[in-house]
Amino acid sequence: MSKPLLIQGMHQDLSCPICLELFCSPVTSECGHTFCQKCLDGLPKEEDGQTTACPTCHALTRAESLKINRQLQHLVESFQQVPRDHCEEHMDPLSVFCEQDKQVICGVCASLGKHKGHNIIKAAEAHQKMKKQLPQQQVLLQEARMRKEKTIALLDRQLNEVEDTVEKFKANVREQLNMMRAYLNVMESSLGQEAEKVQRAASSALLEERKTMSRYLEQLKQMEGVLNEVEGEAQTEFLRKYCLVANRLNKVLGESPPLGRLDIQLPIISDDFKFQVWRKMYRSLMPPLENLTLDPETAQQNLVVSEDGRSVECTDHKQSVSDEPCRFDKSNCLVTRESFDSGEHYWEVVVADKPRWSVGVISETANRKGRLHASPSNGFWLMGFKDGKVYEAYLEQKEPRQLRVEEKPEKIGIYLSFSDGVVAFYNADDEDNLRPLYTFHEKFSGKLYPFFDVCWHDKGKNSQPLKIFFPGSD
Protein backbone atom coordinates (compact mmCIF):
# COMPACT_ATOMS: atom_id res chain seq x y z
CA MET A 1 0.00 0.00 0.00
CA SER A 2 1.33 3.48 -0.92
CA LYS A 3 2.00 6.01 1.76
CA PRO A 4 -0.87 8.33 0.70
CA LEU A 5 -3.40 5.45 0.76
CA LEU A 6 -2.03 4.35 4.13
CA ILE A 7 -2.54 7.87 5.53
CA GLN A 8 -6.03 8.03 4.04
CA GLY A 9 -6.90 4.67 5.64
CA MET A 10 -5.50 5.72 9.01
CA HIS A 11 -7.52 8.93 8.91
CA GLN A 12 -10.70 6.90 8.36
CA ASP A 13 -9.82 4.40 11.11
CA LEU A 14 -9.02 7.17 13.58
CA SER A 15 -12.27 9.09 12.98
CA CYS A 16 -15.38 8.89 15.18
CA PRO A 17 -18.45 7.45 13.35
CA ILE A 18 -20.66 10.00 15.14
CA CYS A 19 -18.94 13.37 14.67
CA LEU A 20 -16.71 12.21 11.73
CA GLU A 21 -13.73 13.98 13.36
CA LEU A 22 -10.54 12.44 14.69
CA PHE A 23 -11.12 10.74 18.01
CA CYS A 24 -11.14 12.93 21.12
CA SER A 25 -10.82 10.88 24.32
CA PRO A 26 -11.74 7.64 22.52
CA VAL A 27 -13.62 4.89 24.37
CA THR A 28 -14.31 1.38 23.07
CA SER A 29 -17.66 -0.27 23.87
CA GLU A 30 -18.16 -3.94 24.74
CA CYS A 31 -19.11 -4.65 21.12
CA GLY A 32 -15.68 -3.42 19.91
CA HIS A 33 -16.68 -0.12 18.27
CA THR A 34 -14.87 3.11 19.24
CA PHE A 35 -16.28 6.63 19.63
CA CYS A 36 -15.42 9.94 21.21
CA GLN A 37 -16.33 9.83 24.87
CA LYS A 38 -18.39 13.02 24.56
CA CYS A 39 -20.22 11.75 21.48
CA LEU A 40 -21.18 8.46 23.13
CA ASP A 41 -22.28 10.21 26.34
CA GLY A 42 -24.51 12.51 24.29
CA LEU A 43 -26.58 9.68 22.83
CA PRO A 44 -30.07 9.05 24.33
CA LYS A 45 -30.40 6.38 27.00
CA GLU A 46 -32.53 3.27 26.69
CA GLU A 47 -35.64 2.74 28.82
CA ASP A 48 -33.58 1.45 31.76
CA GLY A 49 -31.81 4.83 31.92
CA GLN A 50 -28.42 3.11 32.21
CA THR A 51 -27.47 1.71 28.82
CA THR A 52 -26.91 3.22 25.37
CA ALA A 53 -27.35 1.52 22.00
CA CYS A 54 -24.18 1.40 19.85
CA PRO A 55 -24.78 3.61 16.75
CA THR A 56 -22.98 1.04 14.60
CA CYS A 57 -24.45 -2.32 15.66
CA HIS A 58 -27.14 -1.28 18.25
CA ALA A 59 -25.61 -3.48 20.95
CA LEU A 60 -26.20 -2.10 24.46
CA THR A 61 -23.32 -0.64 26.44
CA ARG A 62 -22.83 1.37 29.63
CA ALA A 63 -21.01 4.51 28.45
CA GLU A 64 -20.20 5.73 31.99
CA SER A 65 -18.21 2.58 32.75
CA LEU A 66 -15.93 2.83 29.68
CA LYS A 67 -12.39 4.12 30.12
CA ILE A 68 -10.42 6.23 27.67
CA ASN A 69 -8.20 4.22 25.31
CA ARG A 70 -4.88 5.95 26.02
CA GLN A 71 -2.92 4.15 23.31
CA LEU A 72 -5.48 5.12 20.68
CA GLN A 73 -5.49 8.70 21.99
CA HIS A 74 -1.69 8.90 21.61
CA LEU A 75 -1.95 7.48 18.09
CA VAL A 76 -4.52 10.16 17.18
CA GLU A 77 -2.26 12.88 18.62
CA SER A 78 0.67 11.60 16.54
CA PHE A 79 -1.47 11.43 13.41
CA GLN A 80 -2.59 15.01 13.93
CA GLN A 81 1.04 16.08 13.22
CA VAL A 82 0.58 15.05 9.59
CA PRO A 83 -0.24 18.17 7.43
CA ARG A 84 -3.98 18.26 6.74
CA ASP A 85 -4.01 20.88 3.95
CA HIS A 86 -2.05 18.72 1.49
CA CYS A 87 -3.21 15.90 -0.74
CA GLU A 88 -2.55 12.60 0.97
CA GLU A 89 -1.81 10.98 -2.40
CA HIS A 90 0.32 13.63 -4.17
CA MET A 91 1.35 15.83 -1.20
CA ASP A 92 0.34 18.95 -3.18
CA PRO A 93 -1.76 21.72 -1.62
CA LEU A 94 -5.55 21.15 -1.58
CA SER A 95 -6.36 24.13 -3.79
CA VAL A 96 -9.36 23.09 -5.89
CA PHE A 97 -12.80 21.48 -5.34
CA CYS A 98 -14.51 18.72 -7.31
CA GLU A 99 -18.22 19.60 -7.54
CA GLN A 100 -19.15 16.12 -8.76
CA ASP A 101 -17.55 14.24 -5.85
CA LYS A 102 -17.92 17.09 -3.32
CA GLN A 103 -14.25 16.78 -2.32
CA VAL A 104 -11.28 19.15 -1.84
CA ILE A 105 -8.40 17.97 -4.05
CA CYS A 106 -5.05 19.05 -5.39
CA GLY A 107 -4.21 20.16 -8.94
CA VAL A 108 -2.68 16.80 -9.83
CA CYS A 109 -5.90 14.98 -8.83
CA ALA A 110 -7.87 17.41 -10.99
CA SER A 111 -5.72 17.05 -14.12
CA LEU A 112 -4.34 13.52 -13.95
CA GLY A 113 -6.10 11.63 -11.14
CA LYS A 114 -9.53 10.11 -10.71
CA HIS A 115 -11.19 13.55 -10.83
CA LYS A 116 -10.01 14.20 -14.38
CA GLY A 117 -12.81 15.54 -16.54
CA HIS A 118 -14.99 16.53 -13.57
CA ASN A 119 -16.32 20.07 -12.97
CA ILE A 120 -13.50 21.68 -10.94
CA ILE A 121 -13.57 25.08 -9.23
CA LYS A 122 -11.16 26.84 -6.87
CA ALA A 123 -11.38 25.82 -3.25
CA ALA A 124 -11.84 29.47 -2.19
CA GLU A 125 -14.76 29.80 -4.61
CA ALA A 126 -16.33 26.59 -3.28
CA HIS A 127 -15.79 27.87 0.25
CA GLN A 128 -17.69 31.11 -0.42
CA LYS A 129 -20.40 29.28 -2.35
CA MET A 130 -21.04 26.73 0.40
CA LYS A 131 -20.96 29.38 3.12
CA LYS A 132 -23.85 31.02 1.30
CA GLN A 133 -25.62 27.63 1.16
CA LEU A 134 -25.01 26.96 4.85
CA PRO A 135 -28.21 28.69 6.14
CA GLN A 136 -30.28 26.70 3.65
CA GLN A 137 -28.62 23.47 4.76
CA GLN A 138 -29.24 24.43 8.38
CA VAL A 139 -32.94 25.00 7.61
CA LEU A 140 -33.15 21.65 5.83
CA LEU A 141 -31.42 19.99 8.74
CA GLN A 142 -33.75 21.65 11.26
CA GLU A 143 -36.80 20.65 9.23
CA ALA A 144 -35.57 17.07 9.04
CA ARG A 145 -34.85 17.12 12.78
CA MET A 146 -38.34 18.51 13.52
CA ARG A 147 -39.94 15.84 11.34
CA LYS A 148 -38.06 13.14 13.22
CA GLU A 149 -39.00 14.71 16.55
CA LYS A 150 -42.67 14.77 15.49
CA THR A 151 -42.40 11.16 14.40
CA ILE A 152 -40.84 10.20 17.73
CA ALA A 153 -43.56 12.15 19.58
CA LEU A 154 -46.21 10.35 17.53
CA LEU A 155 -44.61 6.99 18.28
CA ASP A 156 -44.45 7.89 21.99
CA ARG A 157 -48.12 8.85 21.90
CA GLN A 158 -49.00 5.61 20.13
CA LEU A 159 -46.98 3.67 22.69
CA ASN A 160 -48.92 5.38 25.46
CA GLU A 161 -52.20 4.67 23.66
CA VAL A 162 -51.27 1.00 23.28
CA GLU A 163 -50.34 0.79 26.95
CA ASP A 164 -53.53 2.63 27.97
CA THR A 165 -55.68 0.42 25.71
CA VAL A 166 -54.15 -2.76 27.09
CA GLU A 167 -54.55 -1.56 30.68
CA LYS A 168 -58.20 -0.66 30.03
CA PHE A 169 -58.74 -4.05 28.41
CA LYS A 170 -57.15 -5.87 31.36
CA ALA A 171 -59.22 -3.80 33.80
CA ASN A 172 -62.37 -4.59 31.83
CA VAL A 173 -61.49 -8.29 31.79
CA ARG A 174 -60.95 -8.22 35.56
CA GLU A 175 -64.22 -6.38 36.09
CA GLN A 176 -66.22 -8.74 33.88
CA LEU A 177 -64.65 -11.88 35.34
CA ASN A 178 -65.15 -10.58 38.87
CA MET A 179 -68.83 -10.01 38.05
CA MET A 180 -69.03 -13.57 36.69
CA ARG A 181 -67.35 -14.94 39.80
CA ALA A 182 -69.67 -12.92 42.04
CA TYR A 183 -72.72 -14.15 40.15
CA LEU A 184 -71.52 -17.77 40.22
CA ASN A 185 -70.80 -17.47 43.95
CA VAL A 186 -74.34 -16.18 44.55
CA MET A 187 -75.79 -18.97 42.39
CA GLU A 188 -73.66 -21.57 44.19
CA SER A 189 -74.88 -20.29 47.54
CA SER A 190 -78.52 -20.22 46.36
CA LEU A 191 -78.37 -23.73 44.91
CA GLY A 192 -76.59 -24.93 48.02
CA GLN A 193 -79.32 -23.51 50.24
CA GLU A 194 -81.98 -25.09 48.03
CA ALA A 195 -80.21 -28.45 48.23
CA GLU A 196 -79.92 -28.17 52.02
CA LYS A 197 -83.66 -27.39 52.24
CA VAL A 198 -84.43 -30.50 50.19
CA GLN A 199 -82.03 -32.47 52.36
CA ARG A 200 -83.73 -31.31 55.59
CA ALA A 201 -87.19 -32.20 54.26
CA ALA A 202 -86.06 -35.61 53.00
CA SER A 203 -84.08 -36.36 56.17
CA SER A 204 -87.05 -35.40 58.36
CA ALA A 205 -89.37 -37.72 56.43
CA LEU A 206 -86.86 -40.57 56.49
CA LEU A 207 -86.16 -40.15 60.21
CA GLU A 208 -89.89 -40.22 60.97
CA GLU A 209 -90.27 -43.36 58.87
CA ARG A 210 -87.28 -44.89 60.66
CA LYS A 211 -88.87 -44.22 64.07
CA THR A 212 -92.04 -45.98 62.93
CA MET A 213 -90.06 -48.95 61.60
CA SER A 214 -88.10 -49.11 64.84
CA ARG A 215 -91.34 -49.40 66.85
CA TYR A 216 -92.58 -52.19 64.56
CA LEU A 217 -89.23 -53.91 64.88
CA GLU A 218 -89.41 -53.81 68.67
CA GLN A 219 -92.94 -55.29 68.60
CA LEU A 220 -91.75 -58.07 66.27
CA LYS A 221 -88.87 -58.88 68.60
CA GLN A 222 -91.31 -59.10 71.55
CA MET A 223 -93.62 -61.40 69.58
CA GLU A 224 -90.64 -63.53 68.57
CA GLY A 225 -89.74 -63.92 72.25
CA VAL A 226 -93.33 -64.92 73.10
CA LEU A 227 -93.37 -67.58 70.37
CA ASN A 228 -90.10 -69.00 71.65
CA GLU A 229 -91.59 -69.28 75.13
CA VAL A 230 -95.04 -70.63 74.12
CA GLU A 231 -93.74 -73.85 72.67
CA GLY A 232 -93.66 -75.57 76.08
CA GLU A 233 -96.98 -74.15 77.32
CA ALA A 234 -100.11 -76.27 77.98
CA GLN A 235 -102.59 -76.63 75.21
CA THR A 236 -105.00 -73.88 76.30
CA GLU A 237 -102.28 -71.38 77.13
CA PHE A 238 -100.41 -72.23 73.90
CA LEU A 239 -103.47 -71.59 71.76
CA ARG A 240 -104.25 -68.32 73.53
CA LYS A 241 -100.77 -66.88 73.21
CA TYR A 242 -100.27 -68.23 69.68
CA CYS A 243 -103.49 -66.63 68.43
CA LEU A 244 -102.65 -63.39 70.22
CA VAL A 245 -99.20 -63.23 68.55
CA ALA A 246 -100.67 -64.14 65.16
CA ASN A 247 -103.28 -61.39 65.41
CA ARG A 248 -100.70 -58.80 66.44
CA LEU A 249 -98.37 -59.91 63.62
CA ASN A 250 -101.10 -59.50 61.01
CA LYS A 251 -101.87 -56.05 62.44
CA VAL A 252 -98.20 -54.99 62.27
CA LEU A 253 -97.87 -56.27 58.72
CA GLY A 254 -101.02 -54.43 57.74
CA GLU A 255 -99.88 -51.16 59.33
CA SER A 256 -96.40 -51.16 57.77
CA PRO A 257 -96.65 -51.10 53.96
CA PRO A 258 -93.51 -51.70 51.87
CA LEU A 259 -91.07 -48.76 51.96
CA GLY A 260 -91.54 -46.56 48.88
CA ARG A 261 -88.72 -44.77 46.99
CA LEU A 262 -88.15 -41.18 48.13
CA ASP A 263 -87.40 -38.96 45.11
CA ILE A 264 -85.21 -35.92 45.78
CA GLN A 265 -85.95 -33.09 43.35
CA LEU A 266 -82.63 -31.39 42.60
CA PRO A 267 -81.40 -29.77 39.36
CA ILE A 268 -79.55 -32.15 37.10
CA ILE A 269 -76.03 -30.86 36.34
CA SER A 270 -76.32 -31.39 32.59
CA ASP A 271 -75.29 -29.37 29.54
CA ASP A 272 -78.74 -27.79 29.56
CA PHE A 273 -78.30 -26.78 33.20
CA LYS A 274 -74.95 -25.20 32.35
CA PHE A 275 -76.53 -23.37 29.43
CA GLN A 276 -79.32 -22.03 31.64
CA VAL A 277 -76.72 -20.80 34.15
CA TRP A 278 -74.80 -19.14 31.32
CA ARG A 279 -77.94 -17.37 30.08
CA LYS A 280 -78.76 -16.09 33.55
CA MET A 281 -75.16 -14.96 34.02
CA TYR A 282 -75.21 -13.22 30.61
CA ARG A 283 -78.14 -11.06 31.71
CA SER A 284 -76.50 -10.36 35.05
CA LEU A 285 -73.47 -8.95 33.21
CA MET A 286 -75.65 -6.47 31.33
CA PRO A 287 -76.00 -2.97 32.82
CA PRO A 288 -79.01 -2.42 35.07
CA LEU A 289 -82.18 -1.10 33.43
CA GLU A 290 -82.04 2.63 32.70
CA ASN A 291 -84.82 4.67 34.31
CA LEU A 292 -85.77 6.66 31.19
CA THR A 293 -88.50 9.25 30.64
CA LEU A 294 -89.82 10.50 27.30
CA ASP A 295 -89.27 14.16 26.43
CA PRO A 296 -92.55 15.86 25.31
CA GLU A 297 -90.53 18.84 24.02
CA THR A 298 -89.22 16.61 21.22
CA ALA A 299 -92.52 14.87 20.35
CA GLN A 300 -94.26 15.41 17.02
CA GLN A 301 -97.57 17.21 17.61
CA ASN A 302 -99.79 14.12 17.07
CA LEU A 303 -98.05 12.28 19.92
CA VAL A 304 -99.38 12.20 23.48
CA VAL A 305 -96.93 11.42 26.28
CA SER A 306 -98.25 10.02 29.56
CA GLU A 307 -97.85 12.01 32.77
CA ASP A 308 -95.15 9.69 34.07
CA GLY A 309 -93.21 9.97 30.80
CA ARG A 310 -93.21 6.20 30.26
CA SER A 311 -95.75 5.83 27.46
CA VAL A 312 -96.49 7.53 24.13
CA GLU A 313 -99.23 7.05 21.53
CA CYS A 314 -100.32 8.64 18.27
CA THR A 315 -103.74 10.34 17.99
CA ASP A 316 -105.82 12.22 15.40
CA HIS A 317 -105.72 15.39 17.44
CA LYS A 318 -102.73 17.69 16.95
CA GLN A 319 -101.32 19.14 20.13
CA SER A 320 -100.60 22.85 20.41
CA VAL A 321 -96.80 22.86 20.60
CA SER A 322 -93.96 25.25 19.85
CA ASP A 323 -91.68 24.50 16.91
CA GLU A 324 -88.47 23.93 18.83
CA PRO A 325 -85.30 22.86 16.94
CA CYS A 326 -85.29 19.63 18.96
CA ARG A 327 -88.90 18.70 17.98
CA PHE A 328 -89.77 16.25 15.22
CA ASP A 329 -92.18 18.04 12.89
CA LYS A 330 -93.26 15.39 10.34
CA SER A 331 -92.40 11.90 11.62
CA ASN A 332 -94.27 10.56 14.66
CA CYS A 333 -91.11 10.39 16.76
CA LEU A 334 -89.56 11.59 19.99
CA VAL A 335 -86.53 10.92 22.22
CA THR A 336 -85.94 10.69 25.95
CA ARG A 337 -84.82 13.43 28.30
CA GLU A 338 -81.74 11.36 29.04
CA SER A 339 -78.76 11.12 26.69
CA PHE A 340 -75.53 9.11 26.80
CA ASP A 341 -71.97 9.89 25.68
CA SER A 342 -69.97 7.12 27.37
CA GLY A 343 -70.24 3.81 29.22
CA GLU A 344 -72.73 0.95 28.88
CA HIS A 345 -76.52 1.29 28.99
CA TYR A 346 -79.56 -0.99 28.68
CA TRP A 347 -83.27 -0.26 28.47
CA GLU A 348 -86.42 -2.09 27.40
CA VAL A 349 -89.40 -0.99 25.33
CA VAL A 350 -92.80 -2.71 25.49
CA VAL A 351 -94.15 -3.04 21.94
CA ALA A 352 -96.82 -5.70 22.73
CA ASP A 353 -99.01 -6.33 19.68
CA LYS A 354 -98.35 -2.94 18.02
CA PRO A 355 -98.06 -3.68 14.24
CA ARG A 356 -95.70 -0.83 13.27
CA TRP A 357 -92.87 0.85 15.21
CA SER A 358 -89.14 1.66 15.27
CA VAL A 359 -86.78 2.02 18.24
CA GLY A 360 -83.06 2.53 18.78
CA VAL A 361 -80.72 5.50 19.23
CA ILE A 362 -79.98 8.67 17.27
CA SER A 363 -77.09 11.12 17.45
CA GLU A 364 -77.51 14.59 18.89
CA THR A 365 -76.89 16.07 15.43
CA ALA A 366 -79.36 13.83 13.54
CA ASN A 367 -81.95 15.72 11.50
CA ARG A 368 -85.38 15.95 13.16
CA LYS A 369 -87.20 17.99 10.52
CA GLY A 370 -89.05 16.73 7.45
CA ARG A 371 -88.80 13.17 6.25
CA LEU A 372 -86.21 11.15 8.17
CA HIS A 373 -83.59 9.11 6.31
CA ALA A 374 -82.83 6.47 8.91
CA SER A 375 -79.31 5.10 8.42
CA PRO A 376 -76.11 5.00 10.51
CA SER A 377 -74.43 7.61 8.27
CA ASN A 378 -77.28 10.02 9.15
CA GLY A 379 -77.00 9.28 12.87
CA PHE A 380 -79.78 6.66 13.17
CA TRP A 381 -79.25 3.12 14.53
CA LEU A 382 -82.75 1.64 14.47
CA MET A 383 -84.68 -1.59 14.37
CA GLY A 384 -88.35 -1.65 13.37
CA PHE A 385 -91.48 -3.66 12.69
CA LYS A 386 -94.07 -3.15 9.94
CA ASP A 387 -97.30 -4.68 8.68
CA GLY A 388 -97.49 -6.78 11.83
CA LYS A 389 -95.03 -9.34 10.42
CA VAL A 390 -91.75 -7.88 9.07
CA TYR A 391 -88.80 -6.98 11.31
CA GLU A 392 -86.19 -4.64 9.82
CA ALA A 393 -82.80 -3.06 10.53
CA TYR A 394 -82.19 0.32 8.92
CA LEU A 395 -78.78 0.22 7.22
CA GLU A 396 -77.15 2.19 4.42
CA GLN A 397 -79.04 0.35 1.68
CA LYS A 398 -82.07 1.96 0.04
CA GLU A 399 -84.36 -0.66 1.57
CA PRO A 400 -84.08 -1.86 5.19
CA ARG A 401 -82.67 -5.32 5.83
CA GLN A 402 -85.32 -7.86 6.78
CA LEU A 403 -84.55 -9.80 9.95
CA ARG A 404 -85.37 -13.39 10.73
CA VAL A 405 -87.18 -13.45 14.08
CA GLU A 406 -88.47 -16.81 15.27
CA GLU A 407 -90.84 -15.60 17.99
CA LYS A 408 -92.65 -12.28 18.03
CA PRO A 409 -91.32 -10.30 21.01
CA GLU A 410 -93.54 -8.17 23.18
CA LYS A 411 -90.57 -6.42 24.75
CA ILE A 412 -87.41 -5.17 22.99
CA GLY A 413 -84.14 -4.83 24.92
CA ILE A 414 -81.60 -2.26 23.65
CA TYR A 415 -77.93 -2.40 24.71
CA LEU A 416 -75.54 0.49 24.01
CA SER A 417 -71.78 0.30 24.60
CA PHE A 418 -69.51 3.21 23.68
CA SER A 419 -66.29 1.33 24.43
CA ASP A 420 -67.26 -1.64 22.23
CA GLY A 421 -69.04 0.50 19.63
CA VAL A 422 -72.23 -1.56 19.79
CA VAL A 423 -75.99 -1.03 19.62
CA ALA A 424 -77.68 -4.42 20.07
CA PHE A 425 -81.36 -5.36 20.03
CA TYR A 426 -82.83 -8.33 21.92
CA ASN A 427 -86.07 -10.19 22.44
CA ALA A 428 -86.41 -9.39 26.15
CA ASP A 429 -89.60 -11.32 26.94
CA ASP A 430 -87.60 -13.70 29.17
CA GLU A 431 -85.23 -11.72 31.36
CA ASP A 432 -83.07 -14.80 31.84
CA ASN A 433 -82.88 -15.53 28.13
CA LEU A 434 -82.16 -12.43 26.04
CA ARG A 435 -82.28 -13.50 22.39
CA PRO A 436 -80.29 -11.38 19.91
CA LEU A 437 -82.22 -9.75 17.05
CA TYR A 438 -79.63 -7.46 15.42
CA THR A 439 -76.38 -5.64 16.30
CA PHE A 440 -74.86 -2.43 14.87
CA HIS A 441 -71.09 -1.89 15.12
CA GLU A 442 -70.03 1.76 15.10
CA LYS A 443 -67.45 4.06 16.68
CA PHE A 444 -69.68 6.59 18.42
CA SER A 445 -68.83 10.20 19.21
CA GLY A 446 -70.99 12.82 20.88
CA LYS A 447 -74.33 12.32 22.60
CA LEU A 448 -76.82 9.59 21.70
CA TYR A 449 -80.53 9.66 22.58
CA PRO A 450 -82.89 6.68 22.97
CA PHE A 451 -85.32 7.04 20.06
CA PHE A 452 -88.98 6.05 19.54
CA ASP A 453 -90.91 6.10 16.27
CA VAL A 454 -94.57 5.46 17.17
CA CYS A 455 -95.60 5.61 13.48
CA TRP A 456 -98.99 6.85 12.22
CA HIS A 457 -102.03 5.45 14.07
CA ASP A 458 -103.55 4.27 10.74
CA LYS A 459 -107.18 4.93 11.76
CA GLY A 460 -106.76 3.01 15.00
CA LYS A 461 -105.00 0.00 13.52
CA ASN A 462 -101.68 1.18 15.02
CA SER A 463 -102.93 3.19 17.98
CA GLN A 464 -101.22 1.00 20.61
CA PRO A 465 -98.62 2.90 22.67
CA LEU A 466 -94.91 2.32 23.03
CA LYS A 467 -93.91 2.01 26.68
CA ILE A 468 -90.60 2.23 28.50
CA PHE A 469 -90.37 -0.77 30.82
CA PHE A 470 -89.09 -0.22 34.33
CA PRO A 471 -89.86 -2.38 37.40
CA GLY A 472 -92.46 -0.76 39.62
CA SER A 473 -93.98 1.39 36.87
CA ASP A 474 -97.42 0.72 35.43
Side-chain angles (χ1 to χ4, degrees):
M1 182 181 293
S2 64
K3 181 178 179 182
L5 292 177
L6 178 62
I7 294 175
Q8 185 178 3
M10 289 184 63
H11 183 273
Q12 183 176 354
D13 292 339
L14 296 176
S15 296
C16 173
I18 299 177
C19 66
L20 305 180
E21 298 289 343
L22 290 173
F23 287 123
C24 177
S25 302
V27 292
T28 303
S29 63
E30 289 90 338
C31 58
H33 296 110
T34 303
F35 310 92
C36 299
Q37 188 180 49
K38 185 177 181 181
C39 292
L40 192 61
D41 288 340
L43 294 177
K45 302 292 185 183
E46 293 297 304
E47 293 183 356
D48 59 9
Q50 302 292 327
T51 58
T52 302
C54 171
T56 303
C57 68
H58 306 295
L60 298 181
T61 185
R62 292 180 177 270
E64 294 82 358
S65 64
L66 301 179
K67 296 182 179 180
I68 296 176
N69 189 331
R70 298 297 179 185
Q71 290 181 323
L72 187 57
Q73 179 67 29
H74 293 154
L75 184 59
V76 170
E77 292 171 355
S78 299
F79 184 77
Q80 286 174 333
Q81 305 303 317
V82 178
R84 303 301 306 144
D85 56 353
H86 284 65
C87 176
E88 295 174 348
E89 183 176 357
H90 304 108
M91 295 302 174
D92 282 359
L94 300 173
S95 57
V96 292
F97 182 79
C98 175
E99 289 193 313
Q100 181 173 329
D101 295 329
K102 305 295 182 185
Q103 189 173 354
V104 183
I105 59 176
C106 69
V108 178
C109 289
S111 57
L112 301 176
K114 62 181 180 179
H115 301 277
K116 181 179 179 181
H118 293 179
N119 188 24
I120 305 296
I121 61 175
K122 292 181 179 180
E125 182 184 349
H127 180 234
Q128 293 301 318
K129 185 177 179 180
M130 291 188 177
K131 282 192 71 175
K132 291 179 181 179
Q133 294 176 353
L134 180 61
Q136 182 181 359
Q137 290 296 322
Q138 289 175 329
V139 170
L140 292 175
L141 183 62
Q142 290 174 356
E143 290 177 348
R145 176 177 56 79
M146 291 175 65
R147 285 195 298 271
K148 296 301 180 185
E149 288 175 348
K150 287 182 179 179
T151 301
I152 291 174
L154 176 61
L155 291 171
D156 288 340
R157 186 163 64 251
Q158 290 177 342
L159 284 170
N160 290 333
E161 289 176 356
V162 168
E163 183 178 353
D164 185 55
T165 300
V166 170
E167 287 302 318
K168 287 182 178 178
F169 170 78
K170 290 165 65 177
N172 188 41
V173 168
R174 283 195 298 271
E175 180 183 2
Q176 296 296 325
L177 291 179
N178 285 337
M179 290 172 64
M180 292 182 189
R181 294 187 188 99
Y183 177 81
L184 291 174
N185 287 338
V186 170
M187 176 162 280
E188 180 184 6
S189 176
S190 175
L191 289 174
Q193 291 175 4
E194 181 182 343
E196 289 173 359
K197 182 179 178 181
V198 171
Q199 180 186 6
R200 287 194 296 271
S203 297
S204 177
L206 291 171
L207 287 172
E208 190 63 32
E209 185 70 17
R210 188 178 187 283
K211 288 180 181 178
T212 301
M213 291 299 108
S214 295
R215 288 197 299 271
Y216 288 141
L217 178 60
E218 189 62 33
Q219 292 177 21
L220 291 173
K221 288 181 178 179
Q222 292 177 358
M223 286 185 281
E224 185 179 10
V226 171
L227 286 179
N228 290 335
E229 295 174 356
V230 80
E231 185 177 2
E233 296 287 346
Q235 176 178 299
T236 302
E237 190 64 17
F238 174 88
L239 291 173
R240 186 182 69 80
K241 290 184 178 180
Y242 180 85
C243 291
L244 179 62
V245 170
N247 289 335
R248 289 178 62 186
L249 178 59
N250 289 331
K251 184 178 179 181
V252 169
L253 293 177
E255 291 178 352
S256 57
L259 184 65
R261 179 178 177 82
L262 181 64
D263 290 328
I264 299 177
Q265 300 298 323
L266 289 174
I268 299 174
I269 309 301
S270 62
D271 288 340
D272 182 66
F273 170 82
K274 297 173 186 176
F275 181 63
Q276 295 297 331
V277 170
W278 179 87
R279 290 197 306 191
K280 290 176 180 290
M281 183 169 63
Y282 177 77
R283 178 60 188 94
S284 73
L285 296 176
M286 297 282 276
L289 272 176
E290 295 286 347
N291 189 5
L292 301 178
T293 52
L294 299 166
D295 186 358
E297 298 299 319
T298 67
Q300 191 265 353
Q301 61 186 140
N302 284 94
L303 300 184
V304 177
V305 178
S306 62
E307 291 185 4
D308 62 1
R310 305 274 190 198
S311 175
V312 58
E313 61 184 36
C314 182
T315 66
D316 280 324
H317 179 66
K318 290 188 176 182
Q319 316 296 314
S320 177
V321 297
S322 58
D323 187 19
E324 301 292 339
C326 62
R327 187 182 301 279
F328 294 87
D329 63 347
K330 298 296 183 184
S331 299
N332 304 109
C333 306
L334 76 167
V335 296
T336 61
R337 299 180 187 274
E338 297 79 13
S339 63
F340 309 115
D341 58 11
S342 62
E344 292 181 299
H345 308 276
Y346 178 76
W347 62 97
E348 294 179 347
V349 181
V350 178
V351 296
D353 58 350
K354 187 174 177 64
R356 190 177 184 90
W357 49 264
S358 295
V359 293
V361 295
I362 66 170
S363 68
E364 183 179 28
T365 58
N367 177 46
R368 302 187 183 187
K369 304 299 182 181
R371 182 183 178 187
L372 303 182
H373 298 280
S375 67
S377 61
N378 291 325
F380 292 81
W381 294 270
L382 309 180
M383 174 195 162
F385 186 53
K386 72 176 184 180
D387 302 330
K389 58 183 178 180
V390 180
Y391 292 90
E392 301 174 323
Y394 296 88
L395 309 180
E396 299 300 336
Q397 292 86 350
K398 186 175 181 180
E399 296 296 327
R401 177 187 294 182
Q402 290 192 11
L403 305 178
R404 183 178 179 181
V405 178
E406 295 181 357
E407 296 182 16
K408 184 178 179 180
E410 294 188 359
K411 190 165 56 176
I412 302 295
I414 304 170
Y415 169 69
L416 169 64
S417 171
F418 280 84
S419 59
D420 295 335
V422 163
V423 175
F425 298 85
Y426 297 90
N427 178 339
D429 289 348
D430 183 354
E431 65 177 355
D432 292 330
N433 183 20
L434 296 180
R435 283 168 287 181
L437 299 174
Y438 189 77
T439 300
F440 289 94
H441 296 276
E442 188 80 30
K443 190 171 181 63
F444 303 111
S445 61
K447 291 182 180 179
L448 297 181
Y449 286 84
F451 171 86
F452 302 78
D453 184 356
V454 184
C455 299
W456 184 242
H457 62 72
D458 194 16
K459 298 180 180 180
K461 296 178 183 178
N462 190 42
S463 60
Q464 300 90 331
L466 288 178
K467 297 181 180 180
I468 297 174
F469 176 76
F470 192 78
S473 63
D474 294 332

